[in-house]
Amino acid sequence: MIESLGALGGYGITSIIVIVIAFFLFARFVKKIIGNIIMGGLLFWLLNTVGITHMTVTTMHGIVVALFGVPGTIVLALLDLVG
């Protein structure tokens, strides 16, 4: 029966522990990234709504906010204020 488990059967409990730890680390990493993207989008919306900046929503702005989150939004706002 253990042989039918494939790779898990050969390594036993150690591989199961490593898989569980890797899953939890990955979930924690993804949660932080998605939270940063959401907060960056909210900051982008807030800056436009309050009238601090009047940034147009373009594909490039969306990519910057998605990749860098809040710091990316701050850089976009500063670039909009300067230029």
Side-chain angles (χ1 to χ4, degrees), residues 1-72:
M1 180 169 156
I2 291 178
E3 291 81 17
S4 65
L5 293 175
L8 290 178
Y11 296 107
I13 193 72
T14 305
S15 64
I16 294 172
I17 292 172
V18 169
I19 289 170
V20 168
I21 290 172
F23 175 76
F24 283 125
L25 289 176
F26 180 73
R28 178 178 285 180
F29 177 72
V30 168
K31 184 191 283 187
K32 286 183 180 183
I33 292 216
I34 290 176
N36 195 20
I37 291 169
I38 292 171
M39 292 305 292
L42 286 174
L43 181 61
F44 192 93
W45 173 79
L46 185 66
L47 290 173
N48 282 335
T49 303
V50 173
I52 296 172
T53 61
H54 296 288
M55 298 181 285
T56 58
V57 180
T58 63
T59 303
M60 187 52 92
H61 284 137
I63 292 171
V64 169
V65 171
L67 289 177
F68 300 109
V70 174

